[in-house]
Amino acid sequence: MQQGRDMASVYVERWNAAAAAGGTGACPVRDVLDRIGNKWSMLLIMTLASGAKRFNQLHREVPDISQKMLTQTLRELQRDGLVSRQVFDTKPPSVEYRLTPLGHSLIEPFGHLIEWANESIKTIQGSRADFDRT
């Protein structure tokens, strides 16, 4: 746990140094978070983490996403180099989506976020309830 606190201090120090130097204007963190922080990207990346999937399989595994949003999110992830799309010459043509090496590199950071969320959700819900009572 101490190492986590030490790393947190390093990250805060780097952030503050960049802010002091005016380096938060064109912030790469904001650019990346705009993509992976949306409602569907993380779900699709973690769904694809277990292997390549076809469109309809993705739609079944993330059932509350519309076909339009699934298509749009996959295209955005493909544009960012996180997901690749392979078309097979079959009749009818079939398409398969898989994570790229860059996409795979997100699994561990997402795993840390998932663990943190699972550990923190009761505290967060309690804070929300306390806030809403005031």
PDB file of all heavy atoms in Angstrom, residues 96-128:
ATOM      1  N   GLU A  96     -15.029  -9.446 -37.847  1.00  0.00           N
ATOM      2  CA  GLU A  96     -14.601  -9.790 -36.506  1.00  0.00           C
ATOM      3  C   GLU A  96     -13.821  -8.619 -35.922  1.00  0.00           C
ATOM      4  O   GLU A  96     -13.047  -7.974 -36.626  1.00  0.00           O
ATOM      5  CB  GLU A  96     -13.711 -11.032 -36.588  1.00  0.00           C
ATOM      6  CG  GLU A  96     -13.361 -11.661 -35.293  1.00  0.00           C
ATOM      7  CD  GLU A  96     -12.567 -12.929 -35.515  1.00  0.00           C
ATOM      8  OE1 GLU A  96     -11.349 -12.830 -35.758  1.00  0.00           O
ATOM      9  OE2 GLU A  96     -13.185 -14.018 -35.451  1.00  0.00           O
ATOM     10  N   TYR A  97     -14.038  -8.355 -34.651  1.00  0.00           N
ATOM     11  CA  TYR A  97     -13.345  -7.276 -33.945  1.00  0.00           C
ATOM     12  C   TYR A  97     -12.453  -7.891 -32.878  1.00  0.00           C
ATOM     13  O   TYR A  97     -12.825  -8.868 -32.242  1.00  0.00           O
ATOM     14  CB  TYR A  97     -14.357  -6.330 -33.290  1.00  0.00           C
ATOM     15  CG  TYR A  97     -15.222  -5.633 -34.294  1.00  0.00           C
ATOM     16  CD1 TYR A  97     -16.431  -6.187 -34.702  1.00  0.00           C
ATOM     17  CD2 TYR A  97     -14.830  -4.428 -34.855  1.00  0.00           C
ATOM     18  CE1 TYR A  97     -17.220  -5.554 -35.641  1.00  0.00           C
ATOM     19  CE2 TYR A  97     -15.616  -3.782 -35.795  1.00  0.00           C
ATOM     20  CZ  TYR A  97     -16.812  -4.352 -36.182  1.00  0.00           C
ATOM     21  OH  TYR A  97     -17.586  -3.717 -37.122  1.00  0.00           O
ATOM     22  N   ARG A  98     -11.280  -7.299 -32.707  1.00  0.00           N
ATOM     23  CA  ARG A  98     -10.350  -7.766 -31.686  1.00  0.00           C
ATOM     24  C   ARG A  98      -9.551  -6.588 -31.175  1.00  0.00           C
ATOM     25  O   ARG A  98      -9.437  -5.565 -31.855  1.00  0.00           O
ATOM     26  CB  ARG A  98      -9.439  -8.867 -32.193  1.00  0.00           C
ATOM     27  CG  ARG A  98      -8.423  -8.413 -33.218  1.00  0.00           C
ATOM     28  CD  ARG A  98      -7.484  -9.527 -33.700  1.00  0.00           C
ATOM     29  NE  ARG A  98      -8.203 -10.542 -34.429  1.00  0.00           N
ATOM     30  CZ  ARG A  98      -8.270 -11.831 -34.066  1.00  0.00           C
ATOM     31  NH1 ARG A  98      -7.655 -12.247 -32.993  1.00  0.00           N
ATOM     32  NH2 ARG A  98      -8.948 -12.692 -34.780  1.00  0.00           N
ATOM     33  N   LEU A  99      -9.007  -6.730 -29.976  1.00  0.00           N
ATOM     34  CA  LEU A  99      -8.154  -5.688 -29.431  1.00  0.00           C
ATOM     35  C   LEU A  99      -6.802  -5.705 -30.134  1.00  0.00           C
ATOM     36  O   LEU A  99      -6.276  -6.771 -30.454  1.00  0.00           O
ATOM     37  CB  LEU A  99      -7.925  -5.895 -27.933  1.00  0.00           C
ATOM     38  CG  LEU A  99      -9.117  -5.684 -27.011  1.00  0.00           C
ATOM     39  CD1 LEU A  99      -8.687  -5.925 -25.564  1.00  0.00           C
ATOM     40  CD2 LEU A  99      -9.685  -4.296 -27.163  1.00  0.00           C
ATOM     41  N   THR A 100      -6.259  -4.539 -30.346  1.00  0.00           N
ATOM     42  CA  THR A 100      -4.895  -4.398 -30.833  1.00  0.00           C
ATOM     43  C   THR A 100      -3.967  -4.480 -29.614  1.00  0.00           C
ATOM     44  O   THR A 100      -4.434  -4.466 -28.473  1.00  0.00           O
ATOM     45  CB  THR A 100      -4.708  -3.042 -31.520  1.00  0.00           C
ATOM     46  OG1 THR A 100      -4.901  -2.008 -30.537  1.00  0.00           O
ATOM     47  CG2 THR A 100      -5.684  -2.856 -32.683  1.00  0.00           C
ATOM     48  N   PRO A 101      -2.664  -4.524 -29.832  1.00  0.00           N
ATOM     49  CA  PRO A 101      -1.755  -4.466 -28.675  1.00  0.00           C
ATOM     50  C   PRO A 101      -1.996  -3.219 -27.811  1.00  0.00           C
ATOM     51  O   PRO A 101      -1.946  -3.305 -26.577  1.00  0.00           O
ATOM     52  CB  PRO A 101      -0.367  -4.453 -29.322  1.00  0.00           C
ATOM     53  CG  PRO A 101      -0.560  -5.242 -30.596  1.00  0.00           C
ATOM     54  CD  PRO A 101      -1.935  -4.819 -31.073  1.00  0.00           C
ATOM     55  N   LEU A 102      -2.293  -2.092 -28.440  1.00  0.00           N
ATOM     56  CA  LEU A 102      -2.598  -0.883 -27.671  1.00  0.00           C
ATOM     57  C   LEU A 102      -3.866  -1.070 -26.845  1.00  0.00           C
ATOM     58  O   LEU A 102      -3.933  -0.673 -25.682  1.00  0.00           O
ATOM     59  CB  LEU A 102      -2.739   0.324 -28.608  1.00  0.00           C
ATOM     60  CG  LEU A 102      -2.960   1.680 -27.944  1.00  0.00           C
ATOM     61  CD1 LEU A 102      -1.775   2.043 -27.047  1.00  0.00           C
ATOM     62  CD2 LEU A 102      -3.162   2.752 -29.026  1.00  0.00           C
ATOM     63  N   GLY A 103      -4.871  -1.702 -27.426  1.00  0.00           N
ATOM     64  CA  GLY A 103      -6.103  -1.999 -26.693  1.00  0.00           C
ATOM     65  C   GLY A 103      -5.840  -2.934 -25.520  1.00  0.00           C
ATOM     66  O   GLY A 103      -6.379  -2.742 -24.424  1.00  0.00           O
ATOM     67  N   HIS A 104      -5.011  -3.954 -25.751  1.00  0.00           N
ATOM     68  CA  HIS A 104      -4.661  -4.878 -24.661  1.00  0.00           C
ATOM     69  C   HIS A 104      -3.951  -4.156 -23.524  1.00  0.00           C
ATOM     70  O   HIS A 104      -4.094  -4.539 -22.363  1.00  0.00           O
ATOM     71  CB  HIS A 104      -3.782  -6.023 -25.181  1.00  0.00           C
ATOM     72  CG  HIS A 104      -4.548  -7.150 -25.758  1.00  0.00           C
ATOM     73  ND1 HIS A 104      -5.205  -8.079 -24.980  1.00  0.00           N
ATOM     74  CD2 HIS A 104      -4.789  -7.502 -27.046  1.00  0.00           C
ATOM     75  CE1 HIS A 104      -5.806  -8.956 -25.761  1.00  0.00           C
ATOM     76  NE2 HIS A 104      -5.576  -8.632 -27.018  1.00  0.00           N
ATOM     77  N   SER A 105      -3.206  -3.105 -23.852  1.00  0.00           N
ATOM     78  CA  SER A 105      -2.463  -2.386 -22.808  1.00  0.00           C
ATOM     79  C   SER A 105      -3.400  -1.652 -21.846  1.00  0.00           C
ATOM     80  O   SER A 105      -2.967  -1.227 -20.783  1.00  0.00           O
ATOM     81  CB  SER A 105      -1.463  -1.405 -23.432  1.00  0.00           C
ATOM     82  OG  SER A 105      -2.113  -0.283 -24.001  1.00  0.00           O
ATOM     83  N   LEU A 106      -4.672  -1.520 -22.197  1.00  0.00           N
ATOM     84  CA  LEU A 106      -5.648  -0.878 -21.306  1.00  0.00           C
ATOM     85  C   LEU A 106      -6.243  -1.835 -20.279  1.00  0.00           C
ATOM     86  O   LEU A 106      -6.833  -1.392 -19.294  1.00  0.00           O
ATOM     87  CB  LEU A 106      -6.795  -0.287 -22.129  1.00  0.00           C
ATOM     88  CG  LEU A 106      -6.542   1.053 -22.759  1.00  0.00           C
ATOM     89  CD1 LEU A 106      -7.678   1.396 -23.719  1.00  0.00           C
ATOM     90  CD2 LEU A 106      -6.417   2.118 -21.692  1.00  0.00           C
ATOM     91  N   ILE A 107      -6.107  -3.125 -20.482  1.00  0.00           N
ATOM     92  CA  ILE A 107      -6.768  -4.090 -19.601  1.00  0.00           C
ATOM     93  C   ILE A 107      -6.284  -3.944 -18.161  1.00  0.00           C
ATOM     94  O   ILE A 107      -7.096  -3.906 -17.228  1.00  0.00           O
ATOM     95  CB  ILE A 107      -6.570  -5.527 -20.120  1.00  0.00           C
ATOM     96  CG1 ILE A 107      -7.270  -5.684 -21.472  1.00  0.00           C
ATOM     97  CG2 ILE A 107      -7.095  -6.543 -19.117  1.00  0.00           C
ATOM     98  CD1 ILE A 107      -6.942  -6.970 -22.198  1.00  0.00           C
ATOM     99  N   GLU A 108      -4.994  -3.824 -17.954  1.00  0.00           N
ATOM    100  CA  GLU A 108      -4.486  -3.711 -16.580  1.00  0.00           C
ATOM    101  C   GLU A 108      -4.941  -2.415 -15.909  1.00  0.00           C
ATOM    102  O   GLU A 108      -5.444  -2.466 -14.781  1.00  0.00           O
ATOM    103  CB  GLU A 108      -2.963  -3.837 -16.547  1.00  0.00           C
ATOM    104  CG  GLU A 108      -2.427  -3.868 -15.135  1.00  0.00           C
ATOM    105  CD  GLU A 108      -0.942  -4.127 -15.056  1.00  0.00           C
ATOM    106  OE1 GLU A 108      -0.334  -4.553 -16.052  1.00  0.00           O
ATOM    107  OE2 GLU A 108      -0.383  -3.899 -13.967  1.00  0.00           O
ATOM    108  N   PRO A 109      -4.789  -1.235 -16.559  1.00  0.00           N
ATOM    109  CA  PRO A 109      -5.317  -0.023 -15.906  1.00  0.00           C
ATOM    110  C   PRO A 109      -6.818  -0.106 -15.641  1.00  0.00           C
ATOM    111  O   PRO A 109      -7.291   0.327 -14.589  1.00  0.00           O
ATOM    112  CB  PRO A 109      -4.991   1.102 -16.898  1.00  0.00           C
ATOM    113  CG  PRO A 109      -3.892   0.578 -17.743  1.00  0.00           C
ATOM    114  CD  PRO A 109      -4.063  -0.907 -17.782  1.00  0.00           C
ATOM    115  N   PHE A 110      -7.579  -0.671 -16.583  1.00  0.00           N
ATOM    116  CA  PHE A 110      -9.008  -0.842 -16.347  1.00  0.00           C
ATOM    117  C   PHE A 110      -9.241  -1.780 -15.163  1.00  0.00           C
ATOM    118  O   PHE A 110     -10.157  -1.572 -14.370  1.00  0.00           O
ATOM    119  CB  PHE A 110      -9.708  -1.397 -17.590  1.00  0.00           C
ATOM    120  CG  PHE A 110     -10.035  -0.366 -18.633  1.00  0.00           C
ATOM    121  CD1 PHE A 110     -10.532  -0.761 -19.864  1.00  0.00           C
ATOM    122  CD2 PHE A 110      -9.860   0.980 -18.413  1.00  0.00           C
ATOM    123  CE1 PHE A 110     -10.853   0.170 -20.838  1.00  0.00           C
ATOM    124  CE2 PHE A 110     -10.170   1.917 -19.379  1.00  0.00           C
ATOM    125  CZ  PHE A 110     -10.672   1.506 -20.595  1.00  0.00           C
ATOM    126  N   GLY A 111      -8.427  -2.823 -15.055  1.00  0.00           N
ATOM    127  CA  GLY A 111      -8.557  -3.748 -13.934  1.00  0.00           C
ATOM    128  C   GLY A 111      -8.371  -3.041 -12.604  1.00  0.00           C
ATOM    129  O   GLY A 111      -9.117  -3.295 -11.652  1.00  0.00           O
ATOM    130  N   HIS A 112      -7.388  -2.140 -12.534  1.00  0.00           N
ATOM    131  CA  HIS A 112      -7.185  -1.366 -11.304  1.00  0.00           C
ATOM    132  C   HIS A 112      -8.410  -0.495 -11.009  1.00  0.00           C
ATOM    133  O   HIS A 112      -8.835  -0.390  -9.852  1.00  0.00           O
ATOM    134  CB  HIS A 112      -5.937  -0.482 -11.417  1.00  0.00           C
ATOM    135  CG  HIS A 112      -4.657  -1.248 -11.428  1.00  0.00           C
ATOM    136  ND1 HIS A 112      -4.197  -1.966 -10.345  1.00  0.00           N
ATOM    137  CD2 HIS A 112      -3.734  -1.419 -12.397  1.00  0.00           C
ATOM    138  CE1 HIS A 112      -3.042  -2.536 -10.648  1.00  0.00           C
ATOM    139  NE2 HIS A 112      -2.745  -2.225 -11.892  1.00  0.00           N
ATOM    140  N   LEU A 113      -8.958   0.125 -12.042  1.00  0.00           N
ATOM    141  CA  LEU A 113     -10.137   0.966 -11.861  1.00  0.00           C
ATOM    142  C   LEU A 113     -11.334   0.127 -11.406  1.00  0.00           C
ATOM    143  O   LEU A 113     -12.083   0.529 -10.511  1.00  0.00           O
ATOM    144  CB  LEU A 113     -10.468   1.713 -13.158  1.00  0.00           C
ATOM    145  CG  LEU A 113     -11.678   2.628 -13.117  1.00  0.00           C
ATOM    146  CD1 LEU A 113     -11.525   3.702 -12.045  1.00  0.00           C
ATOM    147  CD2 LEU A 113     -11.900   3.256 -14.489  1.00  0.00           C
ATOM    148  N   ILE A 114     -11.499  -1.042 -11.989  1.00  0.00           N
ATOM    149  CA  ILE A 114     -12.599  -1.933 -11.615  1.00  0.00           C
ATOM    150  C   ILE A 114     -12.458  -2.354 -10.148  1.00  0.00           C
ATOM    151  O   ILE A 114     -13.429  -2.328  -9.387  1.00  0.00           O
ATOM    152  CB  ILE A 114     -12.653  -3.161 -12.554  1.00  0.00           C
ATOM    153  CG1 ILE A 114     -13.080  -2.717 -13.965  1.00  0.00           C
ATOM    154  CG2 ILE A 114     -13.582  -4.238 -12.009  1.00  0.00           C
ATOM    155  CD1 ILE A 114     -12.815  -3.759 -15.045  1.00  0.00           C
ATOM    156  N   GLU A 115     -11.237  -2.728  -9.748  1.00  0.00           N
ATOM    157  CA  GLU A 115     -11.003  -3.094  -8.345  1.00  0.00           C
ATOM    158  C   GLU A 115     -11.319  -1.918  -7.419  1.00  0.00           C
ATOM    159  O   GLU A 115     -11.972  -2.090  -6.393  1.00  0.00           O
ATOM    160  CB  GLU A 115      -9.557  -3.543  -8.126  1.00  0.00           C
ATOM    161  CG  GLU A 115      -9.265  -4.922  -8.635  1.00  0.00           C
ATOM    162  CD  GLU A 115      -7.819  -5.340  -8.394  1.00  0.00           C
ATOM    163  OE1 GLU A 115      -7.077  -4.623  -7.681  1.00  0.00           O
ATOM    164  OE2 GLU A 115      -7.433  -6.390  -8.928  1.00  0.00           O
ATOM    165  N   TRP A 116     -10.835  -0.734  -7.765  1.00  0.00           N
ATOM    166  CA  TRP A 116     -11.086   0.441  -6.941  1.00  0.00           C
ATOM    167  C   TRP A 116     -12.585   0.705  -6.826  1.00  0.00           C
ATOM    168  O   TRP A 116     -13.100   0.977  -5.738  1.00  0.00           O
ATOM    169  CB  TRP A 116     -10.377   1.665  -7.523  1.00  0.00           C
ATOM    170  CG  TRP A 116     -10.656   2.898  -6.740  1.00  0.00           C
ATOM    171  CD1 TRP A 116      -9.995   3.342  -5.628  1.00  0.00           C
ATOM    172  CD2 TRP A 116     -11.710   3.849  -6.984  1.00  0.00           C
ATOM    173  NE1 TRP A 116     -10.568   4.498  -5.161  1.00  0.00           N
ATOM    174  CE2 TRP A 116     -11.622   4.833  -5.982  1.00  0.00           C
ATOM    175  CE3 TRP A 116     -12.704   3.954  -7.945  1.00  0.00           C
ATOM    176  CZ2 TRP A 116     -12.501   5.914  -5.921  1.00  0.00           C
ATOM    177  CZ3 TRP A 116     -13.573   5.020  -7.883  1.00  0.00           C
ATOM    178  CH2 TRP A 116     -13.470   5.987  -6.885  1.00  0.00           C
ATOM    179  N   ALA A 117     -13.291   0.611  -7.949  1.00  0.00           N
ATOM    180  CA  ALA A 117     -14.737   0.850  -7.935  1.00  0.00           C
ATOM    181  C   ALA A 117     -15.447  -0.174  -7.057  1.00  0.00           C
ATOM    182  O   ALA A 117     -16.327   0.184  -6.263  1.00  0.00           O
ATOM    183  CB  ALA A 117     -15.285   0.810  -9.365  1.00  0.00           C
ATOM    184  N   ASN A 118     -15.080  -1.436  -7.183  1.00  0.00           N
ATOM    185  CA  ASN A 118     -15.707  -2.478  -6.359  1.00  0.00           C
ATOM    186  C   ASN A 118     -15.434  -2.259  -4.875  1.00  0.00           C
ATOM    187  O   ASN A 118     -16.306  -2.486  -4.037  1.00  0.00           O
ATOM    188  CB  ASN A 118     -15.236  -3.866  -6.788  1.00  0.00           C
ATOM    189  CG  ASN A 118     -15.855  -4.310  -8.090  1.00  0.00           C
ATOM    190  OD1 ASN A 118     -16.955  -3.917  -8.442  1.00  0.00           O
ATOM    191  ND2 ASN A 118     -15.136  -5.131  -8.830  1.00  0.00           N
ATOM    192  N   GLU A 119     -14.220  -1.822  -4.550  1.00  0.00           N
ATOM    193  CA  GLU A 119     -13.866  -1.578  -3.154  1.00  0.00           C
ATOM    194  C   GLU A 119     -14.509  -0.295  -2.614  1.00  0.00           C
ATOM    195  O   GLU A 119     -14.748  -0.178  -1.415  1.00  0.00           O
ATOM    196  CB  GLU A 119     -12.344  -1.478  -3.003  1.00  0.00           C
ATOM    197  CG  GLU A 119     -11.621  -2.783  -3.236  1.00  0.00           C
ATOM    198  CD  GLU A 119     -10.107  -2.609  -3.361  1.00  0.00           C
ATOM    199  OE1 GLU A 119      -9.599  -1.472  -3.204  1.00  0.00           O
ATOM    200  OE2 GLU A 119      -9.437  -3.621  -3.633  1.00  0.00           O
ATOM    201  N   SER A 120     -14.789   0.656  -3.471  1.00  0.00           N
ATOM    202  CA  SER A 120     -15.219   1.990  -3.040  1.00  0.00           C
ATOM    203  C   SER A 120     -16.707   2.257  -3.186  1.00  0.00           C
ATOM    204  O   SER A 120     -17.195   3.258  -2.672  1.00  0.00           O
ATOM    205  CB  SER A 120     -14.446   3.051  -3.826  1.00  0.00           C
ATOM    206  OG  SER A 120     -13.062   2.874  -3.666  1.00  0.00           O
ATOM    207  N   ILE A 121     -17.442   1.386  -3.856  1.00  0.00           N
ATOM    208  CA  ILE A 121     -18.821   1.697  -4.203  1.00  0.00           C
ATOM    209  C   ILE A 121     -19.686   1.940  -2.967  1.00  0.00           C
ATOM    210  O   ILE A 121     -20.507   2.866  -2.967  1.00  0.00           O
ATOM    211  CB  ILE A 121     -19.450   0.622  -5.122  1.00  0.00           C
ATOM    212  CG1 ILE A 121     -20.814   1.093  -5.634  1.00  0.00           C
ATOM    213  CG2 ILE A 121     -19.532  -0.723  -4.440  1.00  0.00           C
ATOM    214  CD1 ILE A 121     -20.774   2.339  -6.480  1.00  0.00           C
ATOM    215  N   LYS A 122     -19.511   1.186  -1.899  1.00  0.00           N
ATOM    216  CA  LYS A 122     -20.338   1.397  -0.700  1.00  0.00           C
ATOM    217  C   LYS A 122     -20.052   2.755  -0.073  1.00  0.00           C
ATOM    218  O   LYS A 122     -20.968   3.456   0.356  1.00  0.00           O
ATOM    219  CB  LYS A 122     -20.136   0.271   0.301  1.00  0.00           C
ATOM    220  CG  LYS A 122     -20.765  -1.029  -0.154  1.00  0.00           C
ATOM    221  CD  LYS A 122     -20.619  -2.123   0.873  1.00  0.00           C
ATOM    222  CE  LYS A 122     -21.259  -3.391   0.301  1.00  0.00           C
ATOM    223  NZ  LYS A 122     -21.118  -4.514   1.191  1.00  0.00           N
ATOM    224  N   THR A 123     -18.792   3.143  -0.042  1.00  0.00           N
ATOM    225  CA  THR A 123     -18.432   4.457   0.494  1.00  0.00           C
ATOM    226  C   THR A 123     -19.017   5.564  -0.377  1.00  0.00           C
ATOM    227  O   THR A 123     -19.550   6.557   0.126  1.00  0.00           O
ATOM    228  CB  THR A 123     -16.897   4.601   0.581  1.00  0.00           C
ATOM    229  OG1 THR A 123     -16.381   3.532   1.372  1.00  0.00           O
ATOM    230  CG2 THR A 123     -16.486   5.939   1.166  1.00  0.00           C
ATOM    231  N   ILE A 124     -18.936   5.383  -1.671  1.00  0.00           N
ATOM    232  CA  ILE A 124     -19.481   6.382  -2.608  1.00  0.00           C
ATOM    233  C   ILE A 124     -20.991   6.496  -2.436  1.00  0.00           C
ATOM    234  O   ILE A 124     -21.540   7.602  -2.363  1.00  0.00           O
ATOM    235  CB  ILE A 124     -19.100   6.021  -4.057  1.00  0.00           C
ATOM    236  CG1 ILE A 124     -17.585   6.180  -4.250  1.00  0.00           C
ATOM    237  CG2 ILE A 124     -19.881   6.871  -5.069  1.00  0.00           C
ATOM    238  CD1 ILE A 124     -17.049   5.588  -5.541  1.00  0.00           C
ATOM    239  N   GLN A 125     -21.660   5.354  -2.365  1.00  0.00           N
ATOM    240  CA  GLN A 125     -23.110   5.384  -2.191  1.00  0.00           C
ATOM    241  C   GLN A 125     -23.497   6.034  -0.869  1.00  0.00           C
ATOM    242  O   GLN A 125     -24.467   6.791  -0.806  1.00  0.00           O
ATOM    243  CB  GLN A 125     -23.677   3.965  -2.286  1.00  0.00           C
ATOM    244  CG  GLN A 125     -23.618   3.398  -3.687  1.00  0.00           C
ATOM    245  CD  GLN A 125     -23.965   1.925  -3.765  1.00  0.00           C
ATOM    246  OE1 GLN A 125     -23.812   1.181  -2.793  1.00  0.00           O
ATOM    247  NE2 GLN A 125     -24.416   1.497  -4.931  1.00  0.00           N
ATOM    248  N   GLY A 126     -22.731   5.766   0.179  1.00  0.00           N
ATOM    249  CA  GLY A 126     -22.987   6.408   1.461  1.00  0.00           C
ATOM    250  C   GLY A 126     -22.792   7.911   1.386  1.00  0.00           C
ATOM    251  O   GLY A 126     -23.591   8.684   1.930  1.00  0.00           O
ATOM    252  N   SER A 127     -21.754   8.338   0.713  1.00  0.00           N
ATOM    253  CA  SER A 127     -21.505   9.775   0.542  1.00  0.00           C
ATOM    254  C   SER A 127     -22.613  10.443  -0.249  1.00  0.00           C
ATOM    255  O   SER A 127     -23.049  11.549   0.081  1.00  0.00           O
ATOM    256  CB  SER A 127     -20.168   9.994  -0.157  1.00  0.00           C
ATOM    257  OG  SER A 127     -19.097   9.565   0.648  1.00  0.00           O
ATOM    258  N   ARG A 128     -23.093   9.761  -1.276  1.00  0.00           N
ATOM    259  CA  ARG A 128     -24.207  10.307  -2.066  1.00  0.00           C
ATOM    260  C   ARG A 128     -25.443  10.462  -1.203  1.00  0.00           C
ATOM    261  O   ARG A 128     -26.135  11.486  -1.267  1.00  0.00           O
ATOM    262  CB  ARG A 128     -24.507   9.400  -3.255  1.00  0.00           C
ATOM    263  CG  ARG A 128     -23.474   9.427  -4.340  1.00  0.00           C
ATOM    264  CD  ARG A 128     -23.799   8.400  -5.407  1.00  0.00           C
ATOM    265  NE  ARG A 128     -22.781   8.382  -6.440  1.00  0.00           N
ATOM    266  CZ  ARG A 128     -22.688   7.426  -7.366  1.00  0.00           C
ATOM    267  NH1 ARG A 128     -23.562   6.409  -7.367  1.00  0.00           N
ATOM    268  NH2 ARG A 128     -21.736   7.470  -8.273  1.00  0.00           N
TER     269      ARG A 128
END
